[in-house]
């Protein structure tokens, strides 16, 4: 690993000595796994809070479409005349 910095190499050396003290038959995620999980949980919480804030600004009420209203009126008139001719 020629492109590792000195501090990364030192950290890996210290983590390797800590790993020797742990029982080799027991596998755990360790502190690094907890830190990664906690950071991901905080990120999801922040994203959900932001999404909630943005969704509360959205107005879901649509203006009625005037073309659709005119089409519905014509359809109901046409069906009304057809019913009166049958009856």
């Amino acid at each position: 690993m020629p492109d590792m910095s000195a501090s990364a190499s030192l950290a890996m050396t210290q983590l390797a000595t800590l790993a020797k003290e742990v029982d080799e038959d027991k596998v755990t995620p360790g502190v690094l796994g907890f830190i990664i999980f906690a950071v991901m949980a905080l990120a999801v919480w922040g994203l959900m809070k932001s999404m909630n804030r943005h969704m509360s600004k959205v107005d879901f009420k649509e203006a009625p479409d005037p073309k659709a209203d005119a089409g519905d009126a014509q359809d109901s008139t046409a069906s009304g005349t057809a019913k009166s001719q049958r009856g």
Side-chain angles (χ1 to χ4, degrees):
M1 294 184 195
D3 54 343
M4 278 181 53
S5 66
S7 61
S9 177
L10 180 63
M12 290 300 289
T13 306
Q14 290 175 351
L15 287 175
T17 58
L18 290 175
K20 297 286 184 186
E21 297 171 6
V22 177
D23 184 17
E24 293 182 8
D25 295 331
K26 185 177 180 183
V27 178
T28 62
V31 176
L32 181 63
F34 174 75
I35 291 171
I36 291 172
F37 182 78
V39 167
M40 288 174 43
L42 285 172
V44 168
W45 177 78
L47 286 171
M48 289 182 69
K49 189 170 181 172
S50 174
M51 182 186 68
N52 191 20
R53 191 177 322 122
H54 283 87
M55 292 298 284
S56 66
K57 293 179 183 178
V58 175
D59 183 21
F60 287 106
K61 296 179 183 174
E62 288 187 27
D65 189 12
K67 292 180 182 178
D69 291 341
D72 290 342
Q74 289 175 355
D75 290 343
S76 63
T77 309
S79 63
T81 56
K83 288 179 184 176
S84 64
Q85 289 175 355
R86 281 190 224 153

